[in-house]
């Protein structure tokens, strides 16, 4: 049975117009690259980008300004959606200090300007097969 080119036009056109799946961002090659992707996720509100960087069962703790106040800790899976829900196109960040305990484990002190606030973060990152991932974060608002 010969192929009729006219019958193939519509299926081919539909295939070309169908949205192709998003190309995954490359795995972060350094803690700094992971933190650049973190800030980009906060700027754009891309929760998927944040989920790719933060271990779901990792721990996020925030410190209140009052040292007598209790520390609030939650899993990243519980907080990432809230971070992405309020994107800040002006968000910026910079590494203040980086200490490598091993070639696959790094502790970073990070300054983040997000949502009109200035945060100082202590982040613990591990290199995995999928690139650098944040496994713990403690933050304080300045």
């Amino acid at each position: 049975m010969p192929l009729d080119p006219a019958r193939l036009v519509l299926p081919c056109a539909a295939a070309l117009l169908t949205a192709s799946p998003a190309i995954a961002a490359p795995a972060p090659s350094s803690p700094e690259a992971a933190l650049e992707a973190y800030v980009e996720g906060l700027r754009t509100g891309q929760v998927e980008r944040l989920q790719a960087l933060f271990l779901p069962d990792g721990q996020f703790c925030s410190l209140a300004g009052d040292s007598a106040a209790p520390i609030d800790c939650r899993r990243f899976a519980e907080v990432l959606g809230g971070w992405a829900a309020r994107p800040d196109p002006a968000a910026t960040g910079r590494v203040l200090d980086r200490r490598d305990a091993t070639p696959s484990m790094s502790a970073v002190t990070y300054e983040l300007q997000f949502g009109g606030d200035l945060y100082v973060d202590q982040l613990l990152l591990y290199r995995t097969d999928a690139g650098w991932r944040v496994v713990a974060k403690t933050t304080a608002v300045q």
Side-chain angles (χ1 to χ4, degrees):
M1 171 180 213
L3 290 177
D4 180 6
R7 295 181 82 191
L8 294 175
V9 170
L10 284 177
C12 288
L16 290 172
L17 293 174
T18 302
S20 61
I23 298 172
S29 59
S30 68
E32 291 84 0
L35 296 174
E36 287 173 20
Y38 163 42
V39 172
E40 183 61 22
L42 294 175
R43 282 186 197 119
T44 61
Q46 294 177 325
V47 72
E48 298 82 11
R49 183 169 283 230
L50 297 173
Q51 290 168 335
L53 294 169
F54 288 86
L55 191 69
D57 289 329
Q59 190 170 48
F60 167 66
C61 297
S62 57
L63 305 173
D66 179 0
S67 61
I71 298 172
D72 178 36
C73 295
R74 292 174 278 163
R75 294 174 48 238
F76 286 128
E78 297 171 32
V79 298
L80 295 180
W83 297 354
R86 51 186 185 99
D88 177 3
T92 61
R94 69 184 179 111
V95 173
L96 300 176
D97 187 47
R98 175 180 166 184
R99 305 286 171 125
D100 296 336
T102 72
S104 295
M105 184 172 65
S106 185
V108 176
T109 303
Y110 197 68
E111 184 180 80
L112 173 69
Q113 291 194 356
F114 174 70
D117 290 316
L118 177 64
Y119 300 89
V120 174
D121 298 338
Q122 291 290 326
L123 299 121
L124 185 58
L125 296 97
Y126 284 97
R127 183 185 0 234
T128 69
D129 291 340
W132 286 88
R133 306 240 4 232
V134 179
V135 298
K137 173 183 171 180
T138 301
T139 192
V141 179
Q142 294 295 298

